[in-house]
Amino acid sequence: MNDDKSLTATVVTTLYQREKLADKIQILIPPNYGELDLSEFTATLKYVDQANVPHAEILPKDKDLYKEHIRYVLPVDTNLTQYAGDIAIRITLQKNDMEVRKTYVVHTGELIINISPLKDYYAFVPDESLEFVDQIVSNLQNKIEALDKVADAYDKTKADNIKIENGNEIQLLSNKIPIGDKIVVTKDDSGGGTGGGCSFEIVEF
């Protein structure tokens, strides 16, 4: 900021569209304006982006003076670089004096920041590539269909329950439908456990 409150760009760096946190905007304000101590003021960066959306960001201040100026550093984020084109920025400095119940406000002039366009190589896809993309989509659909069929077959053949009939017949079920062969369990009444049957009985709970 100059003595007449105008803003001047002393070091100009090219900013490209959609850049994020690669560059910083350094803002230097003189420590005094007339009788006002600007180090006691809060600085707010105000700008309207290319989509006509207003923005306001309170600027963090360095603890010490930089080259006899108050310095504020703003990382260049995608809020600023989202669109290509010119952005008009200005600074508002504000202080509330509770003793005399006054609010002091200092506005700077405007400074134009240009955001350079960046070619988007993926914005247009030639017809040949579209065919390739179609093949990828087709392959994915085939794999999804195959997985659906495997899941359906598994669902129909998996054993999810068991049923006992006639006191000694065990039948596996899948979705309440019998699968596989019945298993017949017989008691061995010979007492020796070798009568060709099983030496246990089924007990239901």
Short mmCIF file of all heavy atoms in Angstrom, two decimals, residues 122 124-141:
data_model
loop_
_atom_site.label_atom_id
_atom_site.label_comp_id
_atom_site.label_asym_id
_atom_site.label_seq_id
_atom_site.Cartn_x
_atom_site.Cartn_y
_atom_site.Cartn_z
N TYR A 122 -8.23 -33.04 -20.78
CA TYR A 122 -9.26 -34.06 -20.66
C TYR A 122 -10.65 -33.50 -20.95
O TYR A 122 -11.64 -34.20 -20.81
CB TYR A 122 -9.23 -34.68 -19.25
CG TYR A 122 -7.91 -35.31 -18.94
CD1 TYR A 122 -6.96 -34.61 -18.20
CD2 TYR A 122 -7.58 -36.58 -19.39
CE1 TYR A 122 -5.73 -35.18 -17.91
CE2 TYR A 122 -6.36 -37.15 -19.11
CZ TYR A 122 -5.44 -36.44 -18.37
OH TYR A 122 -4.22 -36.99 -18.09
N PHE A 124 -11.75 -32.60 -23.84
CA PHE A 124 -12.22 -33.15 -25.11
C PHE A 124 -11.60 -34.51 -25.31
O PHE A 124 -10.40 -34.69 -25.15
CB PHE A 124 -11.84 -32.23 -26.27
CG PHE A 124 -12.14 -32.82 -27.63
CD1 PHE A 124 -13.44 -32.86 -28.10
CD2 PHE A 124 -11.13 -33.35 -28.40
CE1 PHE A 124 -13.71 -33.42 -29.34
CE2 PHE A 124 -11.40 -33.90 -29.64
CZ PHE A 124 -12.70 -33.93 -30.11
N VAL A 125 -12.42 -35.47 -25.67
CA VAL A 125 -11.94 -36.83 -25.94
C VAL A 125 -12.28 -37.16 -27.38
O VAL A 125 -13.45 -37.12 -27.78
CB VAL A 125 -12.62 -37.85 -25.00
CG1 VAL A 125 -12.10 -39.25 -25.28
CG2 VAL A 125 -12.38 -37.47 -23.56
N PRO A 126 -11.30 -37.49 -28.23
CA PRO A 126 -11.58 -37.82 -29.63
C PRO A 126 -12.39 -39.11 -29.73
O PRO A 126 -12.45 -39.91 -28.82
CB PRO A 126 -10.18 -38.00 -30.24
CG PRO A 126 -9.29 -38.29 -29.08
CD PRO A 126 -9.86 -37.56 -27.93
N ASP A 127 -13.01 -39.29 -30.91
CA ASP A 127 -13.89 -40.45 -31.12
C ASP A 127 -13.16 -41.76 -30.91
O ASP A 127 -13.73 -42.72 -30.37
CB ASP A 127 -14.47 -40.40 -32.54
CG ASP A 127 -15.47 -39.27 -32.70
OD1 ASP A 127 -15.93 -38.78 -31.65
OD2 ASP A 127 -15.78 -38.88 -33.82
N GLU A 128 -11.89 -41.83 -31.35
CA GLU A 128 -11.15 -43.08 -31.18
C GLU A 128 -11.04 -43.44 -29.70
O GLU A 128 -11.15 -44.60 -29.33
CB GLU A 128 -9.75 -42.94 -31.79
CG GLU A 128 -9.73 -42.78 -33.32
CD GLU A 128 -10.01 -41.36 -33.74
OE1 GLU A 128 -10.11 -40.50 -32.84
OE2 GLU A 128 -10.14 -41.11 -34.95
N SER A 129 -10.82 -42.45 -28.87
CA SER A 129 -10.70 -42.72 -27.44
C SER A 129 -12.04 -43.11 -26.84
O SER A 129 -12.11 -43.91 -25.92
CB SER A 129 -10.16 -41.47 -26.72
OG SER A 129 -8.84 -41.22 -27.13
N LEU A 130 -13.12 -42.54 -27.40
CA LEU A 130 -14.45 -42.90 -26.90
C LEU A 130 -14.70 -44.38 -27.10
O LEU A 130 -15.27 -45.05 -26.26
CB LEU A 130 -15.52 -42.07 -27.60
CG LEU A 130 -15.66 -40.62 -27.14
CD1 LEU A 130 -16.73 -39.91 -27.95
CD2 LEU A 130 -15.98 -40.55 -25.66
N GLU A 131 -14.26 -44.93 -28.27
CA GLU A 131 -14.44 -46.35 -28.51
C GLU A 131 -13.67 -47.16 -27.49
O GLU A 131 -14.14 -48.18 -26.99
CB GLU A 131 -13.98 -46.70 -29.93
CG GLU A 131 -14.88 -46.10 -31.01
CD GLU A 131 -14.40 -46.45 -32.40
OE1 GLU A 131 -13.37 -47.15 -32.51
OE2 GLU A 131 -15.05 -46.04 -33.37
N PHE A 132 -12.48 -46.69 -27.16
CA PHE A 132 -11.68 -47.38 -26.15
C PHE A 132 -12.37 -47.34 -24.79
O PHE A 132 -12.42 -48.32 -24.06
CB PHE A 132 -10.29 -46.73 -26.07
CG PHE A 132 -9.42 -47.28 -24.98
CD1 PHE A 132 -8.93 -48.57 -25.06
CD2 PHE A 132 -9.11 -46.51 -23.88
CE1 PHE A 132 -8.14 -49.09 -24.04
CE2 PHE A 132 -8.31 -47.02 -22.86
CZ PHE A 132 -7.83 -48.31 -22.95
N VAL A 133 -12.93 -46.17 -24.46
CA VAL A 133 -13.66 -46.04 -23.21
C VAL A 133 -14.87 -46.96 -23.20
O VAL A 133 -15.19 -47.60 -22.19
CB VAL A 133 -14.09 -44.57 -22.98
CG1 VAL A 133 -15.04 -44.46 -21.80
CG2 VAL A 133 -12.88 -43.68 -22.77
N ASP A 134 -15.56 -47.05 -24.35
CA ASP A 134 -16.71 -47.96 -24.44
C ASP A 134 -16.31 -49.39 -24.17
O ASP A 134 -17.04 -50.15 -23.53
CB ASP A 134 -17.36 -47.86 -25.82
CG ASP A 134 -18.08 -46.52 -26.01
OD1 ASP A 134 -18.36 -45.87 -24.99
OD2 ASP A 134 -18.33 -46.14 -27.16
N GLN A 135 -15.12 -49.79 -24.67
CA GLN A 135 -14.65 -51.15 -24.42
C GLN A 135 -14.40 -51.37 -22.93
O GLN A 135 -14.72 -52.43 -22.40
CB GLN A 135 -13.36 -51.39 -25.21
CG GLN A 135 -13.57 -51.45 -26.72
CD GLN A 135 -12.25 -51.60 -27.46
OE1 GLN A 135 -11.21 -51.79 -26.83
NE2 GLN A 135 -12.29 -51.50 -28.78
N ILE A 136 -13.83 -50.37 -22.27
CA ILE A 136 -13.59 -50.50 -20.83
C ILE A 136 -14.90 -50.66 -20.09
O ILE A 136 -15.06 -51.52 -19.22
CB ILE A 136 -12.81 -49.27 -20.32
CG1 ILE A 136 -11.41 -49.24 -20.92
CG2 ILE A 136 -12.73 -49.28 -18.79
CD1 ILE A 136 -10.61 -48.01 -20.54
N VAL A 137 -15.89 -49.83 -20.44
CA VAL A 137 -17.20 -49.90 -19.79
C VAL A 137 -17.84 -51.25 -20.04
O VAL A 137 -18.42 -51.86 -19.13
CB VAL A 137 -18.11 -48.76 -20.28
CG1 VAL A 137 -19.53 -48.93 -19.74
CG2 VAL A 137 -17.56 -47.41 -19.85
N SER A 138 -17.73 -51.77 -21.28
CA SER A 138 -18.30 -53.07 -21.60
C SER A 138 -17.67 -54.18 -20.78
O SER A 138 -18.35 -55.07 -20.26
CB SER A 138 -18.13 -53.35 -23.11
OG SER A 138 -18.63 -54.63 -23.43
N ASN A 139 -16.33 -54.14 -20.67
CA ASN A 139 -15.63 -55.15 -19.87
C ASN A 139 -16.05 -55.10 -18.41
O ASN A 139 -16.24 -56.14 -17.76
CB ASN A 139 -14.11 -54.95 -19.98
CG ASN A 139 -13.58 -55.34 -21.35
OD1 ASN A 139 -14.20 -56.14 -22.05
ND2 ASN A 139 -12.45 -54.77 -21.73
N LEU A 140 -16.20 -53.90 -17.90
CA LEU A 140 -16.65 -53.77 -16.51
C LEU A 140 -18.05 -54.33 -16.32
O LEU A 140 -18.34 -55.00 -15.33
CB LEU A 140 -16.61 -52.30 -16.09
CG LEU A 140 -15.22 -51.68 -15.88
CD1 LEU A 140 -15.33 -50.19 -15.58
CD2 LEU A 140 -14.50 -52.37 -14.73
N GLN A 141 -18.93 -54.05 -17.29
CA GLN A 141 -20.30 -54.57 -17.19
C GLN A 141 -20.30 -56.09 -17.24
O GLN A 141 -21.07 -56.75 -16.52
CB GLN A 141 -21.16 -53.99 -18.32
CG GLN A 141 -21.48 -52.52 -18.13
CD GLN A 141 -22.25 -51.94 -19.30
OE1 GLN A 141 -22.23 -52.48 -20.40
NE2 GLN A 141 -22.93 -50.83 -19.05
#
